Amino acid sequence: METPAVHLVLLAKFAGVLLFVAGSGASLLARTREERRRATHRIASTGLFIAWSGGFALASLSGIPLTELWIVLGLGLSLSAHVVTVSAVERGAGRGHVVAFAALLLGILGAMIFRPVFGA
């Protein structure tokens, strides 16, 4: 059911996703360790928290169980993408970090678009 609350949560989740991707991208492109740290911990982490909170709220409002395969995949892959970004903070972002992050983002998008479910 499309209510104003659902629309607000969708907007918040979208903003969180934008912050997560922008912060992660800035971290992977930053030149200094301090810039990478700031982009990762202040922007990307905040965005991931907002996106996850919005996702949990949407699932709750829509009556979708959090154990759906596409939700579990989205959570796991987004956490993995964040781990790649955090790893790049200390070691410096290399080509491997960028490729891994891009692959994980594609996986997240695939899970959200195709919505695989257990037993289907």
Side-chain angles (χ1 to χ4, degrees):
M1 180 176 204
E2 298 282 329
T3 65
V6 171
H7 289 286
L8 286 175
V9 173
L10 279 169
L11 181 63
K13 183 175 180 185
F14 183 68
V17 170
L18 288 178
L19 280 173
F20 174 62
V21 173
S24 298
S27 175
L28 294 173
L29 296 174
R31 301 226 183 259
T32 68
R33 184 174 182 219
E34 187 56 38
E35 288 173 344
R36 286 192 302 271
R37 177 175 284 162
R38 189 177 313 119
T40 298
H41 298 306
R42 288 190 184 166
I43 301 170
S45 296
T46 302
L48 185 62
F49 175 75
I50 293 169
W52 277 22
S53 298
F56 290 137
L58 284 173
S60 176
L61 290 170
S62 303
I64 300 171
L66 294 175
T67 54
E68 289 285 342
L69 178 59
W70 62 277
I71 293 176
V72 173
L73 281 172
L75 289 171
L77 293 173
S78 63
L79 180 61
S80 298
H82 193 57
V83 167
V84 166
T85 307
V86 170
S87 166
V89 168
E90 297 301 320
R91 298 186 181 120
R95 183 173 298 190
H97 289 102
V98 174
V99 170
F101 183 77
L104 289 165
L105 273 186
L106 285 174
I108 296 165
L109 286 173
M112 296 297 146
I113 292 169
F114 298 111
R115 292 187 178 196
V117 294
F118 287 110

